Coordinates of all heavy atoms in Angstrom, one line a residue:
R1 N 0.8 -1.2 0.0 CA 0.0 0.0 0.0 C 0.9 1.2 0.0 O 2.0 1.2 0.5 CB -1.0 0.0 1.2 CG -0.3 0.3 2.5 CD -1.3 0.0 3.7 NE -0.5 0.0 4.9 CZ -0.5 1.0 5.8 NH1 -1.1 2.1 5.6 NH2 0.3 0.9 6.8
T2 N 0.4 2.3 -0.5 CA 1.1 3.5 -0.5 C 1.1 4.2 0.9 O 0.2 4.0 1.6 CB 0.6 4.5 -1.6 OG1 -0.7 4.9 -1.2 CG2 0.6 3.9 -2.9
F3 N 2.1 5.0 1.1 CA 2.2 5.6 2.4 C 1.1 6.5 2.7 O 0.6 6.7 3.8 CB 3.6 6.3 2.6 CG 3.8 6.9 3.9 CD1 4.1 6.1 5.0 CD2 3.7 8.3 4.1 CE1 4.3 6.7 6.3 CE2 3.8 8.8 5.4 CZ 4.1 8.0 6.5
A4 N 0.6 7.2 1.7 CA -0.5 8.2 1.8 C -1.8 7.6 2.2 O -2.6 8.2 2.8 CB -0.6 9.0 0.5
S5 N -2.1 6.3 1.8 CA -3.4 5.7 2.1 C -3.3 5.0 3.4 O -2.5 4.1 3.6 CB -3.8 4.8 1.0 OG -3.0 3.7 0.9
Q6 N -4.2 5.4 4.3 CA -4.2 4.7 5.6 C -5.2 3.5 5.6 O -6.1 3.5 4.8 CB -4.8 5.7 6.7 CG -3.8 6.7 7.1 CD -4.3 7.5 8.3 OE1 -5.4 8.0 8.3 NE2 -3.5 7.5 9.4
T7 N -5.0 2.5 6.4 CA -5.9 1.4 6.5 C -7.1 2.0 7.3 O -7.1 3.0 7.9 CB -5.3 0.2 7.3 OG1 -5.1 0.6 8.7 CG2 -4.1 -0.3 6.7
D8 N -8.2 1.2 7.2 CA -9.5 1.7 7.9 C -9.2 1.8 9.4 O -9.6 2.7 10.1 CB -10.6 0.6 7.7 CG -11.1 0.7 6.3 OD1 -10.9 1.7 5.6 OD2 -11.8 -0.3 5.9
G9 N -8.4 0.8 10.0 CA -8.1 0.9 11.4 C -7.2 2.1 11.7 O -7.5 2.7 12.8
E10 N -6.3 2.4 10.9 CA -5.4 3.6 11.2 C -6.3 4.9 11.2 O -6.2 5.7 12.1 CB -4.3 3.7 10.1 CG -3.2 2.7 10.2 CD -2.3 2.6 9.0 OE1 -2.7 3.2 8.0 OE2 -1.2 2.0 9.2
S11 N -7.2 5.0 10.2 CA -8.1 6.1 10.1 C -9.0 6.2 11.3 O -9.2 7.3 11.8 CB -8.9 6.0 8.8 OG -8.1 6.0 7.7
R12 N -9.5 5.1 11.7 CA -10.5 5.1 12.8 C -9.7 5.5 14.1 O -10.3 6.3 14.9 CB -11.1 3.7 13.0 CG -12.2 3.6 14.0 CD -12.8 2.2 14.2 NE -11.8 1.3 14.7 CZ -11.2 0.3 14.0 NH1 -11.5 0.1 12.7 NH2 -10.4 -0.5 14.6
L13 N -8.6 4.9 14.4 CA -7.8 5.3 15.6 C -7.4 6.8 15.6 O -7.5 7.4 16.6 CB -6.6 4.4 15.7 CG -6.9 2.9 16.0 CD1 -5.6 2.2 16.1 CD2 -7.7 2.7 17.3
A14 N -7.0 7.2 14.4 CA -6.6 8.7 14.3 C -7.7 9.6 14.6 O -7.6 10.6 15.3 CB -6.0 8.9 12.9
R15 N -8.9 9.2 14.1 CA -10.1 10.0 14.3 C -10.5 10.0 15.8 O -10.7 11.1 16.4 CB -11.3 9.4 13.5 CG -12.5 10.3 13.4 CD -13.5 9.8 12.3 NE -13.8 8.4 12.4 CZ -13.4 7.5 11.5 NH1 -12.8 7.8 10.4 NH2 -13.7 6.2 11.6
V16 N -10.4 8.9 16.5 CA -10.7 8.8 17.9 C -9.7 9.7 18.7 O -10.1 10.5 19.6 CB -10.7 7.4 18.4 CG1 -10.7 7.3 20.0 CG2 -11.8 6.6 17.8
L17 N -8.4 9.6 18.3 CA -7.4 10.4 19.0 C -7.5 11.9 18.8 O -7.3 12.6 19.7 CB -6.0 9.9 18.6 CG -5.6 8.5 19.0 CD1 -4.4 8.0 18.3 CD2 -5.5 8.4 20.6
R18 N -7.9 12.3 17.6 CA -8.2 13.7 17.3 C -9.3 14.2 18.2 O -9.3 15.4 18.7 CB -8.4 14.0 15.8 CG -7.2 14.1 15.0 CD -7.4 14.6 13.6 NE -8.3 13.8 12.8 CZ -8.0 12.8 12.1 NH1 -6.7 12.4 12.0 NH2 -8.9 12.1 11.4
E19 N -10.3 13.4 18.4 CA -11.5 13.8 19.2 C -11.0 13.9 20.7 O -11.4 14.9 21.4 CB -12.6 12.7 19.2 CG -13.5 12.9 18.0 CD -14.5 11.7 18.0 OE1 -14.8 11.2 19.1 OE2 -14.9 11.3 16.9
K20 N -10.2 13.0 21.2 CA -9.8 12.9 22.6 C -8.7 13.9 22.9 O -8.6 14.3 24.0 CB -9.4 11.5 23.0 CG -10.4 10.5 22.7 CD -11.5 10.4 23.7 CE -12.4 9.2 23.4 NZ -13.5 9.1 24.3
F21 N -7.9 14.2 21.9 CA -6.8 15.2 22.1 C -6.9 16.3 21.1 O -6.1 16.4 20.1 CB -5.4 14.4 21.9 CG -5.2 13.3 22.9 CD1 -5.5 12.0 22.6 CD2 -4.8 13.6 24.2 CE1 -5.3 11.0 23.5 CE2 -4.7 12.6 25.2 CZ -4.9 11.3 24.8
P22 N -7.9 17.2 21.3 CA -8.1 18.3 20.3 C -6.9 19.3 20.2 O -6.8 19.9 19.2 CB -9.3 19.0 20.8 CG -9.5 18.6 22.3 CD -8.8 17.2 22.4
R23 N -6.0 19.3 21.2 CA -4.9 20.2 21.2 C -3.6 19.6 20.6 O -2.6 20.2 20.6 CB -4.6 20.7 22.6 CG -5.8 21.6 23.1 CD -5.7 21.8 24.6 NE -4.5 22.6 25.0 CZ -4.0 22.7 26.2 NH1 -4.6 22.0 27.2 NH2 -2.9 23.4 26.4
A24 N -3.8 18.3 20.1 CA -2.6 17.6 19.5 C -2.1 18.4 18.3 O -2.9 18.7 17.4 CB -3.0 16.2 19.2
S25 N -0.8 18.5 18.3 CA -0.2 19.2 17.1 C 0.3 18.1 16.1 O 0.5 18.4 14.9 CB 1.0 20.0 17.5 OG 1.9 19.3 18.4
A26 N 0.3 16.9 16.5 CA 0.7 15.8 15.6 C 0.1 14.5 16.1 O 0.2 14.2 17.3 CB 2.2 15.7 15.4
I27 N -0.5 13.7 15.2 CA -1.0 12.4 15.5 C -0.7 11.5 14.3 O -1.0 11.8 13.2 CB -2.5 12.4 15.7 CG1 -2.9 13.1 17.0 CG2 -3.0 10.9 15.8 CD1 -4.4 13.2 17.2
K28 N 0.0 10.4 14.6 CA 0.4 9.4 13.6 C 0.1 8.0 14.1 O 0.5 7.6 15.1 CB 1.9 9.6 13.3 CG 2.4 8.6 12.2 CD 3.9 8.8 11.9 CE 4.4 7.7 11.1 NZ 5.9 7.7 11.1
V29 N -0.7 7.3 13.3 CA -1.1 5.9 13.6 C -0.6 5.0 12.5 O -0.9 5.3 11.3 CB -2.6 5.8 13.7 CG1 -3.0 4.4 14.0 CG2 -3.2 6.8 14.8
V30 N 0.1 4.0 12.8 CA 0.7 3.0 11.8 C 0.3 1.6 12.3 O 0.6 1.2 13.4 CB 2.2 3.2 11.7 CG1 2.7 2.2 10.7 CG2 2.6 4.6 11.4
D31 N -0.3 0.9 11.3 CA -0.6 -0.5 11.6 C 0.7 -1.3 11.3 O 1.2 -1.3 10.2 CB -1.7 -1.0 10.6 CG -2.1 -2.4 10.8 OD1 -1.3 -3.2 11.4 OD2 -3.2 -2.8 10.4
I32 N 1.3 -1.8 12.4 CA 2.6 -2.5 12.3 C 2.4 -4.1 12.3 O 3.3 -4.8 12.5 CB 3.5 -2.1 13.4 CG1 2.9 -2.3 14.8 CG2 4.0 -0.7 13.2 CD1 3.9 -2.0 15.9
S33 N 1.1 -4.5 12.0 CA 0.8 -5.9 11.9 C 0.7 -6.4 10.5 O 0.1 -7.4 10.2 CB -0.5 -6.2 12.7 OG -1.6 -5.5 12.1
G34 N 1.1 -5.6 9.5 CA 1.0 -5.9 8.1 C -0.4 -5.7 7.5 O -0.7 -6.2 6.5
G35 N -1.2 -4.8 8.2 CA -2.5 -4.5 7.7 C -3.7 -5.2 8.3 O -4.8 -4.9 7.9
C36 N -3.4 -6.1 9.2 CA -4.6 -6.9 9.7 C -5.2 -6.2 10.9 O -6.3 -6.7 11.4 CB -4.2 -8.3 10.0 SG -3.1 -8.5 11.5
G37 N -4.6 -5.1 11.4 CA -5.2 -4.4 12.5 C -5.0 -5.0 13.9 O -5.6 -4.6 14.9
A38 N -4.0 -5.9 14.1 CA -3.8 -6.5 15.3 C -2.8 -5.7 16.2 O -2.9 -5.8 17.5 CB -3.2 -7.9 15.2
M39 N -2.0 -4.9 15.6 CA -1.0 -4.1 16.4 C -0.7 -2.8 15.7 O -0.6 -2.7 14.5 CB 0.3 -4.9 16.5 CG 1.3 -4.3 17.5 SD 2.5 -5.5 18.0 CE 3.5 -4.5 19.0
Y40 N -0.7 -1.7 16.6 CA -0.5 -0.4 16.1 C 0.6 0.3 16.8 O 0.9 0.0 18.0 CB -1.8 0.4 16.2 CG -2.9 0.0 15.3 CD1 -3.8 -0.9 15.8 CD2 -3.0 0.5 14.1 CE1 -4.8 -1.4 14.9 CE2 -4.0 0.1 13.2 CZ -4.9 -0.8 13.7 OH -6.0 -1.2 12.8
E41 N 1.2 1.3 16.1 CA 2.2 2.2 16.7 C 1.6 3.6 16.6 O 1.1 4.0 15.5 CB 3.5 2.1 16.0 CG 4.6 3.0 16.6 CD 6.0 2.7 16.0 OE1 6.5 1.6 16.1 OE2 6.5 3.6 15.3
I42 N 1.5 4.3 17.7 CA 0.9 5.6 17.8 C 1.9 6.6 18.3 O 2.6 6.4 19.3 CB -0.3 5.5 18.7 CG1 -1.4 4.6 18.1 CG2 -0.9 6.9 19.0 CD1 -2.6 4.4 19.0
H43 N 2.0 7.7 17.5 CA 2.8 8.9 18.0 C 1.9 10.1 18.1 O 1.1 10.4 17.2 CB 3.8 9.2 16.9 CG 4.8 8.1 16.7 ND1 6.1 8.2 17.2 CD2 4.8 7.0 16.0 CE1 6.8 7.1 16.8 NE2 6.0 6.3 16.1
I44 N 1.9 10.7 19.3 CA 1.0 11.9 19.6 C 1.9 12.9 20.2 O 2.6 12.7 21.2 CB -0.1 11.6 20.5 CG1 -1.0 10.4 20.0 CG2 -1.0 12.8 20.7 CD1 -2.1 10.0 20.9
E45 N 1.8 14.1 19.7 CA 2.4 15.3 20.3 C 1.3 16.2 20.7 O 0.5 16.6 19.8 CB 3.4 16.0 19.3 CG 4.0 17.2 19.9 CD 5.0 17.9 18.9 OE1 6.1 17.5 18.9 OE2 4.5 18.8 18.3
S46 N 1.1 16.5 22.0 CA 0.0 17.3 22.4 C 0.4 18.1 23.6 O 1.1 17.7 24.5 CB -1.2 16.4 22.7 OG -2.3 17.2 23.1
E47 N -0.2 19.3 23.7 CA -0.1 20.2 24.8 C -0.6 19.5 26.1 O -0.2 19.8 27.2 CB -0.8 21.5 24.5 CG -0.3 22.7 25.4 CD 1.1 23.0 25.3 OE1 1.7 23.1 24.2 OE2 1.8 23.0 26.4
E48 N -1.6 18.6 25.9 CA -2.2 18.0 27.1 C -1.2 17.2 27.9 O -1.4 16.9 29.1 CB -3.4 17.0 26.7 CG -4.6 17.7 26.3 CD -5.0 17.7 24.9 OE1 -4.1 17.8 24.0 OE2 -6.2 17.5 24.6
F49 N -0.1 16.8 27.3 CA 0.9 15.9 27.9 C 1.9 16.7 28.7 O 2.7 16.2 29.5 CB 1.7 15.1 26.9 CG 0.8 14.1 26.2 CD1 0.9 13.9 24.8 CD2 -0.2 13.4 26.8 CE1 0.2 13.0 24.1 CE2 -1.0 12.5 26.1 CZ -0.9 12.3 24.8
R50 N 1.9 18.1 28.6 CA 2.9 18.9 29.3 C 2.8 18.7 30.8 O 1.7 18.6 31.3 CB 2.8 20.4 28.9 CG 3.9 21.2 29.4 CD 4.0 22.6 28.8 NE 4.0 22.7 27.3 CZ 5.0 22.4 26.5 NH1 6.1 21.9 27.0 NH2 4.8 22.6 25.2
E51 N 3.9 18.6 31.5 CA 3.9 18.5 33.0 C 3.4 17.1 33.5 O 3.2 16.9 34.6 CB 3.1 19.6 33.7 CG 3.4 21.0 33.3 CD 4.8 21.4 33.8 OE1 5.3 21.0 34.9 OE2 5.5 22.1 33.0
K52 N 3.2 16.1 32.5 CA 2.8 14.8 32.9 C 4.0 13.8 32.7 O 4.7 13.9 31.7 CB 1.6 14.4 32.2 CG 0.3 15.2 32.6 CD -0.9 14.5 32.0 CE -2.2 15.1 32.6 NZ -2.2 16.5 32.6
R53 N 4.1 12.8 33.6 CA 5.1 11.8 33.4 C 4.7 10.9 32.2 O 3.5 10.8 31.9 CB 5.2 10.9 34.7 CG 5.7 11.7 35.9 CD 6.1 10.8 37.0 NE 5.2 9.6 37.2 CZ 4.1 9.6 38.0 NH1 3.7 10.7 38.6 NH2 3.4 8.5 38.1
T54 N 5.6 10.2 31.6 CA 5.4 9.3 30.5 C 4.2 8.3 30.8 O 3.4 8.1 29.9 CB 6.6 8.6 30.0 OG1 7.6 9.6 29.7 CG2 6.4 7.7 28.8
V55 N 4.3 7.7 31.9 CA 3.3 6.7 32.3 C 1.9 7.4 32.3 O 0.9 6.8 31.8 CB 3.6 6.0 33.6 CG1 3.5 6.9 34.8 CG2 2.7 4.7 33.7
Q56 N 1.8 8.6 32.8 CA 0.5 9.3 32.8 C 0.0 9.6 31.4 O -1.2 9.4 31.0 CB 0.6 10.6 33.6 CG 0.8 10.4 35.1 CD 1.1 11.7 35.8 OE1 2.0 12.4 35.4 NE2 0.4 11.9 36.9
Q57 N 0.9 10.0 30.5 CA 0.6 10.3 29.1 C 0.1 9.0 28.4 O -0.9 9.0 27.7 CB 1.9 10.8 28.4 CG 2.4 12.1 28.9 CD 3.7 12.5 28.2 OE1 4.1 11.9 27.2 NE2 4.4 13.5 28.8
H58 N 0.7 7.9 28.7 CA 0.3 6.6 28.0 C -1.0 6.2 28.6 O -1.8 5.6 27.8 CB 1.4 5.6 28.2 CG 2.6 5.8 27.4 ND1 3.5 4.9 27.1 CD2 3.1 7.0 26.9 CE1 4.5 5.4 26.4 NE2 4.3 6.7 26.2
Q59 N -1.3 6.4 29.9 CA -2.6 6.1 30.5 C -3.7 6.9 29.8 O -4.8 6.3 29.5 CB -2.6 6.3 32.0 CG -1.8 5.3 32.8 CD -1.6 5.7 34.2 OE1 -1.6 6.9 34.6 NE2 -1.3 4.7 35.0
M60 N -3.4 8.1 29.5 CA -4.4 9.0 28.8 C -4.7 8.4 27.4 O -5.9 8.4 27.0 CB -3.9 10.4 28.6 CG -3.8 11.2 30.0 SD -2.8 12.7 29.8 CE -3.9 13.7 28.8
V61 N -3.7 7.9 26.7 CA -3.9 7.4 25.4 C -4.7 6.0 25.5 O -5.6 5.8 24.8 CB -2.6 7.1 24.6 CG1 -2.8 6.4 23.3 CG2 -1.9 8.5 24.4
N62 N -4.3 5.2 26.5 CA -5.0 3.9 26.7 C -6.4 4.1 27.0 O -7.3 3.4 26.5 CB -4.3 3.1 27.8 CG -3.0 2.4 27.3 OD1 -3.0 1.8 26.2 ND2 -2.0 2.4 28.1
Q63 N -6.7 5.1 27.8 CA -8.1 5.4 28.2 C -8.9 5.9 27.0 O -10.0 5.5 26.8 CB -8.1 6.5 29.3 CG -9.5 6.7 29.9 CD -9.4 7.6 31.1 OE1 -8.4 8.2 31.5 NE2 -10.6 7.8 31.8
A64 N -8.3 6.8 26.2 CA -8.9 7.3 25.0 C -9.3 6.2 24.0 O -10.3 6.2 23.3 CB -8.0 8.3 24.3
L65 N -8.4 5.1 24.0 CA -8.6 4.0 23.0 C -9.1 2.7 23.7 O -9.0 1.7 23.1 CB -7.3 3.7 22.3 CG -6.7 4.8 21.4 CD1 -5.4 4.4 20.9 CD2 -7.7 5.1 20.3
S66 N -9.7 2.9 24.9 CA -10.1 1.7 25.6 C -11.0 0.7 24.9 O -10.8 -0.5 25.0 CB -10.8 2.1 26.9 OG -12.0 2.9 26.7
E67 N -11.9 1.2 24.1 CA -12.8 0.3 23.3 C -12.0 -0.4 22.2 O -12.1 -1.6 22.0 CB -14.0 1.0 22.7 CG -15.1 1.2 23.7 CD -15.6 -0.1 24.3 OE1 -16.0 -1.0 23.6 OE2 -15.7 -0.1 25.6
E68 N -11.2 0.4 21.5 CA -10.4 -0.2 20.3 C -9.4 -1.2 20.8 O -9.1 -2.1 20.1 CB -9.8 1.0 19.6 CG -10.7 1.9 18.8 CD -11.5 2.9 19.7 OE1 -11.2 3.0 20.9 OE2 -12.5 3.4 19.1
I69 N -8.8 -0.9 22.0 CA -7.7 -1.8 22.5 C -8.2 -3.2 22.7 O -7.5 -4.2 22.6 CB -7.1 -1.2 23.8 CG1 -6.2 0.0 23.4 CG2 -6.3 -2.2 24.5 CD1 -5.7 0.8 24.5
K70 N -9.5 -3.4 23.0 CA -10.0 -4.7 23.3 C -9.9 -5.6 22.0 O -9.9 -6.8 22.2 CB -11.5 -4.6 23.6 CG -11.8 -3.9 24.9 CD -13.3 -3.7 25.1 CE -13.6 -3.0 26.4 NZ -15.0 -2.6 26.5
H71 N -9.7 -5.1 20.9 CA -9.6 -5.9 19.6 C -8.2 -6.0 19.1 O -8.0 -6.4 18.0 CB -10.5 -5.2 18.6 CG -11.9 -5.0 19.0 ND1 -12.8 -6.1 19.2 CD2 -12.6 -3.9 19.4 CE1 -14.0 -5.6 19.7 NE2 -13.8 -4.3 19.8
M72 N -7.2 -5.5 19.9 CA -5.8 -5.5 19.4 C -5.0 -6.5 20.2 O -5.4 -6.9 21.3 CB -5.2 -4.1 19.7 CG -5.7 -3.0 18.9 SD -4.8 -1.5 19.4 CE -6.0 -0.3 18.9
H73 N -3.9 -6.9 19.6 CA -2.9 -7.8 20.3 C -1.9 -6.9 20.9 O -1.3 -7.3 21.9 CB -2.2 -8.7 19.3 CG -3.2 -9.8 18.8 ND1 -3.7 -10.8 19.5 CD2 -3.7 -9.9 17.5 CE1 -4.5 -11.5 18.8 NE2 -4.5 -11.0 17.6
G74 N -1.6 -5.7 20.4 CA -0.5 -4.9 20.9 C -0.6 -3.5 20.5 O -1.2 -3.2 19.5
L75 N 0.0 -2.6 21.3 CA 0.0 -1.2 21.0 C 1.3 -0.6 21.5 O 1.7 -0.8 22.6 CB -1.2 -0.5 21.7 CG -1.4 0.9 21.5 CD1 -1.8 1.3 20.1 CD2 -2.6 1.4 22.4
R76 N 2.0 0.1 20.6 CA 3.2 0.9 21.0 C 2.8 2.4 21.0 O 2.3 2.9 20.0 CB 4.3 0.7 19.9 CG 5.0 -0.6 20.0 CD 6.2 -0.5 19.1 NE 6.6 -1.8 18.6 CZ 7.2 -2.1 17.5 NH1 7.5 -1.1 16.6 NH2 7.5 -3.3 17.2
I77 N 3.1 3.0 22.1 CA 2.7 4.4 22.3 C 3.9 5.3 22.5 O 4.8 5.0 23.3 CB 1.7 4.6 23.5 CG1 0.5 3.7 23.3 CG2 1.3 6.0 23.7 CD1 -0.4 3.7 24.6
F78 N 4.0 6.4 21.7 CA 5.0 7.4 21.8 C 4.3 8.7 22.0 O 3.6 9.1 21.2 CB 5.9 7.4 20.6 CG 6.6 6.1 20.4 CD1 6.1 5.1 19.6 CD2 7.9 5.8 21.0 CE1 6.7 3.9 19.4 CE2 8.5 4.6 20.7 CZ 7.9 3.7 19.9
T79 N 4.6 9.4 23.1 CA 3.9 10.7 23.4 C 5.0 11.7 23.7 O 6.1 11.4 24.2 CB 3.0 10.6 24.6 OG1 3.7 10.0 25.7 CG2 1.8 9.7 24.3
S80 N 4.6 13.0 23.5 CA 5.4 14.1 23.8 C 4.6 15.4 23.8 O 3.5 15.4 23.3 CB 6.6 14.2 22.8 OG 6.1 14.5 21.5
A81 N 5.2 16.4 24.5 CA 4.6 17.7 24.5 C 5.4 18.5 23.4 O 6.6 18.3 23.3 CB 4.7 18.4 25.8
P82 N 4.7 19.5 22.8 CA 5.5 20.3 21.8 C 6.6 21.0 22.5 O 6.6 21.4 23.6 CB 4.4 21.3 21.3 CG 3.1 20.7 21.6 CD 3.3 19.9 22.9
K83 N 7.7 21.1 21.7 CA 8.9 21.8 22.2 C 8.7 23.3 22.4 O 8.0 23.9 21.7 CB 10.1 21.6 21.3 CG 10.5 20.2 21.1 CD 11.3 19.6 22.2 CE 11.7 18.2 22.0 NZ 10.8 17.2 22.6

């Protein structure tokens, strides 16, 4: 698949994350399971993460995706606050 076209799962997760993190300056969702939707890598840069420890940032993402996570085998999360 071309890099520009997202899978349905990537699009769905990105949409949920944009709703939950409206102040995010960057959201990137990549299906790292070869397109079957079993495992994703998520990168989010958001002002909401400022002054929070990494574990708290990841808990926020896990909570935002709580329904979607039930159908996954794994999730890699990378979070940061804008510089």
Side-chain angles (χ1 to χ4, degrees):
R1 74 188 165 103
T2 62
F3 183 73
S5 67
Q6 286 190 304
T7 66
D8 290 342
E10 289 168 344
S11 299
R12 189 179 66 252
L13 293 179
R15 195 167 45 247
V16 170
L17 291 168
R18 278 194 299 274
E19 279 176 27
K20 305 283 186 178
F21 299 99
R23 296 166 65 195
S25 50
I27 293 177
K28 180 180 168 196
V29 178
V30 180
D31 184 336
I32 55 174
S33 62
C36 73
M39 189 158 177
Y40 291 91
E41 184 171 294
I42 294 173
H43 296 259
I44 305 177
E45 180 179 275
S46 180
E47 200 55 54
E48 281 113 322
F49 298 139
R50 194 168 304 286
E51 306 294 322
K52 290 191 169 46
R53 296 190 325 270
T54 302
V55 69
Q56 292 171 309
Q57 296 172 14
H58 290 201
Q59 286 169 339
M60 291 167 70
V61 174
N62 280 318
Q63 189 173 4
L65 296 175
S66 59
E67 280 305 306
E68 290 76 11
I69 287 173
K70 293 175 185 174
H71 308 286
M72 294 180 201
H73 292 291
L75 181 63
R76 284 190 204 152
I77 302 172
F78 299 90
T79 53
S80 62
K83 298 281 181 266

